Structure formats: structure tokens, C-alpha cells
Amino acid sequence: MTKPEENKTKTSNLIIEKIKSIWVIIGITIFLIIIIEGIASLIANFVFVDPVTRKYNEQEEIFKNSDYYKNLKKEEMASLKVRWDPYDYWKRVPFKGKYVNISFEGIRKTWNPVIKNTKARPLTIFIFGGSTMWGTGSRDDYTIPSDVAKILSENTNIDFQVINLGEYGYVSAQELISLIRELQKGIVPDIVVFYDGINDTYTAYQNCTAGLSHNEFNRVKDFNLHQDKNRLAENYLNVAIKTSGIYRVMSTLKKTEQIKDPACENVDMLVDSTIYNYLTNIGLVEHIGKLYGFKTLFYWQPSIFCKKELSKYEQKQLAKEKYLQDFHDKVYNKIKSLAMLNSKANFTNLSDIFYNSKEELFIDYSHITENGNKAIAEKIAEDVLKIIKEKDNKGK
């Protein structure tokens, strides 16, 4: 064997050994990543608590005397799954539980009295709103729509049906679209109720633009990713990373879970556009009501910032959302100052309904207890009953 051939063999052996070493290192690295991911997943699932679960766990303090909250909490968490719904973005998937029930259409169950005359169409009442109207923190039979139905059943003999069209995170624009889509199906109500304020205010602050839905930037990002086929892999990689145990543990360890201040350039202009957007939406609902022959009622809802007497628990909840208070107060105060709006017979500002109440009513900065729901329902039912009496008088 000549020297060149020996050198060639030695070089080949060295290359093979290096390749083997590299593969061993890669193998050990992959093995370690798998082990770390497995440990991180166990920690994320059994040690750390995700934000939604943490929120529900904190809320147990206000439900300490109830015998139903733990089961309600489980059912609410399980029912948070949503499906894509054209135009208004999302609807709940069907769910069946003891306290939370959602139909195939994505509508939460509402307590309604038995229809006496099955041959005639009952008076139909649509009630729109966000998660406060949907009934976060409340059982099916104790949401605002259910309480409205109970009060009506005690004060009128006519057949009626209250339908809860509230949905998690909805702003007034989404509710308007939901109403239009019900009309497109040929389902025309007799009375339509809109209950808004918090989501329209928060989303304007979050997006620095009035009239958008919650987390609109995510929809923009998803659309842009899917427009560029070359970036689809990036989208899938992002999903894989965000569902990994390592990512979930690192996210939990972060001191802040979200950016609290989007630093909008012109806050006063944003306040004005938030209110203008709301006024436009309710104006459109009124015009549609005249076209289809249904009556409309609008309510501006309360928040924890509108309550003077706060319990220790409520004080903790307010402190968490302190970043929003300045913008919230500007919007809410402007709403109060609008004589044109407050003079409307079909508009009621309920923002101060709990102002002097010493009762613990807020589960967080926006959602209220079942007792709070009842107080809101009493105001709505009072106005609905007036409309029913007017209809009865006209029919005589």
C-alpha cells in the first residue's frame, strides 16, 4: 500500500469518525430536548396554572359560600371552545352541562316559561352583549336574559321567548352583524336589547382604533400568513412553539402576561371615535328595527370603575386593571355628558347602578355575580314590559 492511499484511508476514517461524533451530539441534543420538553410539559400541566385557570381559582374567593361554583367553573372552562363564524368571527361550539348549555347554533340556554299557545308565534326578545350578557360566572338560569324572562313571566300572561345572543368578547359591531344574520335567516324578533360599553371601550384602547374586535391584530397576522404560502410553515412553527411545555413554562415565569399600554397617540380623538362608533351602531339597529318592525332598547353597562364602595376582593380586581381606568373614565364620562344620547327614550345608562352598593358584586372588572345580573335584569324587564303594554293597548 502506497503512502497516498494510506493518507486517503486515514482522511476517510477521520471524516467518518467526525460524522459519527456529530450524529451522536445531535442525537444527545434531541434526546435532551425531548426530556426537557417532557419535564416542562409536566410542570406546565401540573405545577403552573394557565391564566384562565388562575383567574377562575382567584374567583373562588367571591363564591366561597356557593355549592355550585367548582362545577360551574369546570363547565365554563370546557365551554370556552369556539368555532369560526363568518362575519362576526366566532361562536361557541355545542356544550351540555349541569349549569352551562350551548345549542348547536352556539346560543346559551335561557330560562323561559312554557309556551301556552303552541299554535301562535310567541313574542320574541333578542338580547345581545358580550360575556357579561352571555353570563360568565353565572348558571344558565341566572344570567341576565334568564332573569329578564323570570320577571316577565311574573308580570305578563302573554307567550314570549327570550334568546341570549350574548357572546364572549363581542363588541357592538359584532352584535349588529349577528342581528343582521338572524334576520337573513328569516328570524325577526319583536324586541331587541343591546347591552354594551366595556368591550367597545377596551378594544378601542387595545387596538388604538375604535370599532374593532378583541385582538384584531391576531386576525391581521393570520390573514397575512395565509396569503403568503411560503410563510405557512412559519405559522405552523409558531403554533408548535406556543403549545410546547417549554414555552408555556417560560410564559408563566414572565412577570407581565400582556402589554398593558399600547400608547395610543391621540387619546381624546380615540375617545370620540369610540363613542361615535357606538352611536353609529345603535343608530343602524334603530333603522333596521323600523324597517322590520321591532322595538329597540340600549343599555350602557357598569364596570368595577363605576363602583364607589369596593370590598377587599373587588379592590384587588380593580388594581389589576388600573392601567385601563383613565381611558375608561374618559369614555364613560363622555357618554354621561351626551344629552342627545341620554334623552333617547330607548337608551339607559346603567354605569352607576352599583355606585353606592356595599354588596360584593364584581367577579372581575367587568363580570358581575348572579345578584348583579338580577339588578340589571330588573331594569331591562321594566322597559320590555312597557313595550308589551303598548303593544297590548294598540291591539285592543
Side-chain angles (χ1 to χ4, degrees), residues 82-114:
V82 294
R83 60 176 171 81
W84 172 256
D85 196 61
Y87 301 108
D88 50 19
Y89 286 158
W90 63 84
K91 281 274 196 303
R92 303 269 179 143
V93 299
F95 183 83
K96 189 173 183 179
K98 184 176 180 181
Y99 301 122
V100 178
N101 290 274
I102 300 165
S103 70
F104 179 78
E105 294 80 15
I107 297 171
R108 188 170 186 184
K109 180 184 175 184
T110 296
W111 182 94
N112 274 296
V114 176

Side-chain angles (χ1 to χ4, degrees), residues 303-345:
S303 77
I304 202 166
F305 301 121
C306 306
K307 191 168 184 280
K308 181 183 177 183
E309 303 289 340
L310 298 175
S311 68
K312 287 184 179 179
Y313 173 84
E314 288 174 324
Q315 288 172 15
K316 290 178 188 175
Q317 300 309 309
L318 183 142
K320 290 179 186 176
E321 314 299 335
K322 202 72 178 172
Y323 68 94
L324 182 62
Q325 185 163 9
D326 183 57
F327 182 73
H328 167 282
D329 289 349
K330 285 181 179 179
V331 173
Y332 271 59
N333 289 334
K334 195 82 178 252
I335 286 285
K336 287 180 184 178
S337 71
L338 292 177
M340 174 272 295
L341 177 62
N342 291 284
S343 64
K344 288 169 68 71

Side-chain angles (χ1 to χ4, degrees), residues 262-282:
C264 304
E265 290 182 6
N266 193 325
V267 174
D268 290 335
M269 187 179 291
L270 183 59
V271 169
D272 290 341
S273 59
T274 300
I275 294 169
Y276 179 78
N277 178 78
Y278 173 71
L279 294 175
T280 301
N281 289 335
I282 67 173

Side-chain angles (χ1 to χ4, degrees), residues 47-114:
V47 179
F48 290 148
V49 181
D50 66 86
V52 176
T53 305
R54 190 185 307 121
K55 181 179 178 181
Y56 277 115
N57 287 345
E58 289 173 357
Q59 290 172 0
E60 286 188 16
E61 183 180 336
I62 200 171
F63 290 95
K64 52 184 173 289
N65 295 322
S66 73
D67 57 356
Y68 64 82
Y69 184 67
K70 286 187 177 180
N71 287 328
L72 173 63
K73 176 181 73 173
K74 289 176 184 176
E75 290 183 13
E76 279 194 353
M77 289 178 68
S79 73
L80 276 172
K81 295 176 183 176
V82 294
R83 60 176 171 81
W84 172 256
D85 196 61
Y87 301 108
D88 50 19
Y89 286 158
W90 63 84
K91 281 274 196 303
R92 303 269 179 143
V93 299
F95 183 83
K96 189 173 183 179
K98 184 176 180 181
Y99 301 122
V100 178
N101 290 274
I102 300 165
S103 70
F104 179 78
E105 294 80 15
I107 297 171
R108 188 170 186 184
K109 180 184 175 184
T110 296
W111 182 94
N112 274 296
V114 176

Side-chain angles (χ1 to χ4, degrees), residues 203-220:
T203 54
Y205 177 85
Q206 182 195 50
N207 294 293
C208 286
T209 305
L212 301 183
S213 67
H214 274 84
N215 304 320
E216 186 72 21
F217 42 79
N218 285 336
R219 257 131 258 139
V220 174

